[in-house]
Amino acid sequence: MLEVTWLLFVVASLVLIVTPGQDMILVMSRSIAQGPAAGVATAAGVSVGLVGHTLLATLGLGAILRASEWLFLALKLVGAAYLVYLGFQLLRTRSHEFAVSSGAPRSLWRLFFDGALSNVSNPKIAVFYFAFLPQFVLPGATHPTLSVFTLGLVFAGLTFFVKGPVGLGAGLLSGWLRSRPRVLVWLYRFSGTVLVGLGLKLAFERRA
């Protein structure tokens, strides 16, 4: 039996998940660009990225990231560079690009990969997982490692439960927004600015 404080964990997790961040911006921007399926695929990628963090936390990589300055720095810069790249891709969007109906849309697999890589390349999430999940395992639990692993999977599932519908809802607005290219360009610029800002914040953020 898993010895976990489930109610407190679910409530705390939902509060954290609905807080806007890089994953939410990425899901919404991809959804608006290519429709509901794109948003859901990106949200699924984000959730799978969290499964990766679950495995890392279970294996104790969070402790390694805390102990190794170079490893933390390397992973942090990779994650920051990827966010900045995604942000500049959005900032470079011009209104005439929407006149050509589809251009070169990303495949659902690529969108899924973008969501997964954006999430799994952020070392702060690995450290967060390592610090957050064990708090909900009861003291003296018989199988603490299994409990941490299960909590991580549940957190990933809750993430998709929240962000999947966000991607779906944003995608349903795609037709309306694409018929108003100026509005869409400014929305892209806003999303791109946020992603670049998050990338720079991650790059220059010090370890706690």
Side-chain angles (χ1 to χ4, degrees):
M1 176 182 294
L2 296 175
E3 297 163 290
V4 173
T5 53
W6 285 109
L7 180 59
L8 183 59
F9 171 74
V10 171
V11 172
S13 296
L14 289 174
V15 169
L16 291 169
I17 292 167
V18 300
T19 301
Q22 67 189 55
D23 292 334
M24 190 74 79
I25 292 293
L26 184 61
V27 168
M28 293 183 68
S29 63
R30 293 298 187 236
S31 180
I32 291 171
Q34 291 186 220
V40 174
T42 305
V46 168
S47 299
V48 169
L50 289 172
V51 173
H53 282 297
T54 298
L55 293 172
L56 297 179
T58 304
L59 296 173
L61 184 58
I64 297 175
L65 290 176
R66 283 182 170 178
S68 173
E69 183 71 31
W70 286 107
L71 179 58
F72 181 89
L73 179 62
L75 290 178
K76 182 178 72 169
L77 291 178
V78 169
Y82 191 68
L83 285 178
V84 172
Y85 166 76
L86 292 176
F88 274 118
Q89 290 294 102
L90 292 175
L91 287 171
R92 292 175 57 192
T93 303
R94 296 293 181 266
S95 60
H96 71 271
E97 296 180 28
F98 302 111
V100 181
S101 60
S102 58
R106 293 171 181 256
S107 67
L108 293 181
W109 169 251
R110 178 60 188 276
L111 292 164
F112 176 87
F113 177 79
D114 283 349
L117 182 59
S118 172
N119 186 276
V120 80
S121 63
N122 187 344
K124 281 288 184 180
I125 298 178
V127 176
F128 161 77
Y129 251 46
F130 188 79
F132 178 70
L133 299 180
Q135 296 182 37
F136 303 95
V137 178
L138 295 176
T142 307
H143 303 290
T145 301
L146 178 60
S147 296
V148 168
F149 180 72
T150 304
L151 287 172
L153 292 181
V154 172
F155 189 91
L158 289 172
T159 297
F160 183 73
F161 176 78
V162 171
K163 293 180 180 176
V166 167
L168 181 64
L172 292 175
L173 296 174
S174 176
W176 183 87
L177 288 169
R178 289 178 71 85
S179 68
R180 295 162 175 79
R182 290 177 62 86
V183 174
L184 188 55
V185 166
W186 281 107
L187 183 59
Y188 267 50
R189 287 176 180 172
F190 173 76
S191 298
T193 300
V194 171
L195 283 176
V196 171
L198 288 169
L200 294 176
K201 179 178 181 295
L202 177 62
F204 292 102
E205 193 171 22
R206 289 188 173 187
R207 295 200 299 175

